[in-house]
Amino acid sequence: MKLYSDPGNIHTLKIAIAAEFTGSRLDLHEVKNDVQVIPYLNKSKLPALEISEGQFLFSANSACRYILSKAGQDIDSLFVDQWLEWEAAELQPVLWRYLISVFGQGKTEPKLEEAFRSLLGQLNQYLHGRQHMVQDRVSAADIVLWSSMFPALCDVPSPKDWLSEFQNVSYWFNRLSQHPAFQTGFTMVTQGKGKSAFKASILAQPPPPPTDLDTRKLKQAAPATSEPGTSDTKSSHKETQSAVNEETVTPEELSRVQEAWLHGKERVPQPLERKTPILPQPSARNILITSALPYVNNVPHLGNIIGCVLSADVFARFCRLRNYNILYVCGTDEYGTATETKAVQEGVTPQEICDKYNRLHTQVYDWFNIGFDFFGRTTTPQQTEIAQDIFWKLYHGGFVLKDRLEQLLCEKCDRFLADRFVEGTCPFCKYEDARGDQCDSCGKLINAIELKDPKCKMCHNTPVVKSSEHLFLDLPKLEPELSKYLDNAFSQGLWTSNSKLITKSWIRDGLKPRCITRDLKWGTPVPLEGYTDKVFYVWFDAPIGYISITANYTPEWEQWWKNPSQVELFNFMAKDNVPFHSVIFPCTQLGARDNYTIINHLSATEYLNYEDGKFSKSRGVGVFGDNAKDSGIPADIWRFYLLFIRPESQDSTFSWEDFMLKNNGELLNNLGNFINRALTFLANNFAGEVQPMQLTEEDNRLLVAVTRCLKAYVDNLEKIRLREGIGNILTISRLGNQYIQANTPWVLVKGNQEERAGTVISLSANISRYFIVGPVPVL
């Protein structure tokens, strides 16, 4: 294994000690702290452990655990996981600021010092009577915590003598300091320069993020102070009681949970029988769900997946659990410039590109367990038939204008350049790689002729401006009707704040005629004489794909799409697609005068960024669906994390390190830990049989707290607050963990309180049953 590190990197110490402890061979390669070792990250990340050619671990904690595990010396304990998470999420943000402060300034602010003292106090309390962090031998928790705190406890020019203040930490720290592996690892990293070798690396690190220094919150974040089998549970019991009694429990709530506990199962409705084809039912809530149609010019990246298909899938699963009659359709958007461009790049026909990427998209979504009722495509006879029918109705209704459009002509290629065949400088933000239809940097829509210094994407020559006659949708004529419809939709439907804001800004600025044709070959043909050499513009044509895809699913598609009195239409997309779905497509439907089902609810996400930059399909930046599929990480883990960071109200960021922390901390240590503790204890101590239960007031209060979470969960998912809904799920398992920790069934079962132990663990097992159904929309 090769280890890349800048000189004196304190995190490298974790990996070096693990290698020495296990006798693993490690080749240390020193690089400057700004060198980008890992090719698929867009910034330097050190240390980096290359475990095989091209495969890296860039979390020092994970690398330490990997080395121990490979040597068969890892301790498989949730307490190791919890302490590693505590080190990364709670200790490091405070410790790093502390180290930079004392090394760079020779002093610290009182709040920072007090925060570090609080964390050391938690560790000191836990280490009472222990020689190691977990069990009776060195674990990854020992190596990671010792390495992290070494500069603060031994090397900082600080007046604070932490080791004399915290005796248990001192005993543990000094004992490990005498271990040969710790001494040899230290020498390897410092290269004989001693403790001062760490200073330069610490001061070279980027400024740490702001840290909450509230010691009360830091205390709440600490791992449990006792492992199963110990009796140090007083503080845990108090914290659990505080969590359960956070709000006043009313007698009515207690009465309802007691009644539901006894008779709730009898009132559970039977699942709705879903027959194919799914059609609207007179007595049901009929919900039609669409997610933005993905282009076939590339594999979808994680931002595309969470912004559209995954969010829609979670809502669709939830609706099925609620016994709503739903149809979820999607498909690949296959016409337009993007397809022609990709076909030229790959030297194949547009149809071959469509076939290839429709297959790739299908494979990615199947792997992510996206439950479409039908996943289709837009290159179908139904698309041509329906799009041309809508056009003729608009044309004969007086909503289509003829006008000349200035376009860019590449004289070398002898063709008018559609939007995505042109790149140049954005006229608004000066971004140098803007496309001819939209700027990736500022997000604004652009007419290609507005670009500064435009270049043909195919030959890189400068095009000239020429005019050509085109057809336009008369949006100003439809604006009053659209405004009236939207006022009602905003008041009655579920619209994210960004979708309302974007839509209202378009209306406020006044709608202008919108060109609906393009000088291309690959697209739905325009049927009007004199324009038959043109095709429909993708943003006129693509939303009609929702209708044609449904028509490919069932010949009775009009029951969904021409039935606004019985059908609710939900659209899911990223915010850059909003105006096409909230303005242009509704105007198209209204102008057709054909009783179309028009958007009722629109859920638009903000952007998901990648590490310190943006996802980009065209530039290959980020994690793409096939990368996730080939990662060896199960799809449900990707689903969980993407929904946990879903950019609902502001941009969020995918980070590999956070990906590891959230899944280990929440999915494993919280939710998985609760289910495992409850069911394993039941199996080991009661032969897997749920015991007769005598519920106490504390037990009923727990059920009240769980019921509140369930109600909040249902409310959040009904209102498409998916990220908040995940929080409700995790709160239930957190309450369960606190309840088990407070009641110590492992102590009760050894004494004369086996009946109480049976009640505690059986109630926990009953609560764990919720996780068979509750997380189904997510996992």
Side-chain angles (χ1 to χ4, degrees), residues 379-451:
T379 51
T380 64
Q382 288 89 341
Q383 175 74 11
T384 301
E385 178 185 344
I386 295 171
Q388 290 183 347
D389 177 68
I390 290 174
F391 165 76
W392 280 122
K393 287 183 168 64
L394 289 167
Y395 182 79
H396 293 307
F399 296 112
V400 176
L401 305 174
K402 298 177 181 179
D403 201 354
R404 298 195 70 80
L405 177 69
E406 288 190 328
Q407 292 179 277
L408 294 175
L409 174 72
C410 179
E411 294 177 316
K412 184 175 181 180
C413 296
D414 192 26
R415 65 190 298 176
F416 281 106
L417 297 178
D419 300 338
R420 294 203 174 202
F421 278 107
V422 189
E423 290 183 338
T425 301
C426 174
F428 302 105
C429 71
K430 312 306 179 188
Y431 179 60
E432 293 184 353
D433 291 323
R435 305 191 310 265
D437 60 345
Q438 192 170 23
C439 176
D440 279 342
S441 179
C442 67
K444 290 188 177 180
L445 300 179
I446 303 172
N447 287 320
I449 60 169
E450 296 174 338
L451 287 172

Side-chain angles (χ1 to χ4, degrees), residues 574-767:
K575 65 180 179 182
D576 55 335
N577 286 338
V578 167
F580 307 106
H581 291 79
S582 66
V583 176
I584 296 174
F585 188 40
C587 280
T588 300
Q589 294 174 292
L590 289 167
R593 301 288 189 255
D594 210 8
N595 196 39
Y596 273 105
T597 302
I598 302 174
I599 184 170
N600 303 106
H601 315 274
L602 197 158
S603 177
T605 61
E606 299 291 325
Y607 292 133
L608 178 68
N609 296 317
Y610 177 69
E611 296 288 352
D612 287 341
K614 291 187 175 183
F615 280 91
S616 173
K617 285 192 290 187
S618 60
R619 296 168 180 82
V621 176
V623 181
F624 291 75
D626 53 346
N627 303 142
K629 179 173 174 286
D630 296 338
S631 68
I633 302 171
D636 280 345
I637 291 179
W638 289 98
R639 287 177 64 105
F640 167 79
Y641 181 66
L642 289 174
L643 288 159
F644 193 92
I645 63 168
R646 183 176 186 257
E648 292 193 353
S649 57
Q650 61 184 12
D651 291 358
S652 62
T653 299
F654 175 92
S655 156
W656 282 102
E657 191 162 351
D658 188 59
F659 179 43
M660 177 195 68
L661 286 173
K662 292 298 188 298
N663 281 292
N664 286 346
E666 294 292 351
L667 198 57
L668 177 64
N669 292 347
N670 176 9
L671 194 152
N673 184 30
F674 169 62
I675 296 172
N676 181 66
R677 292 172 87 182
L679 300 186
T680 300
F681 196 92
L682 189 69
N684 291 342
N685 293 277
F686 297 100
E689 293 185 9
V690 172
Q691 301 298 294
M693 288 171 274
Q694 299 294 323
L695 300 188
T696 65
E697 183 178 351
E698 178 192 357
D699 301 336
N700 283 317
R701 285 177 177 273
L702 173 64
L703 292 176
V704 168
V706 170
T707 301
R708 286 174 176 170
C709 289
L710 287 172
K711 288 181 177 178
Y713 173 68
V714 170
D715 184 61
N716 281 324
L717 264 66
E718 285 280 7
K719 294 175 180 174
I720 320 179
R721 296 191 292 249
L722 310 183
R723 186 171 177 170
E724 292 183 41
I726 284 192
N728 301 134
I729 293 174
L730 296 173
T731 298
I732 292 174
S733 57
R734 190 170 291 112
L735 288 169
N737 275 316
Q738 292 172 341
Y739 173 73
I740 291 175
Q741 195 69 26
N743 284 277
T744 61
W746 53 87
V747 175
L748 297 174
V749 78
K750 292 178 181 178
N752 57 359
Q753 301 183 64
E754 188 169 327
E755 184 177 310
R756 177 59 186 162
T759 293
V760 169
I761 213 63
S762 295
L763 177 57
S764 299
N766 269 273
I767 293 173

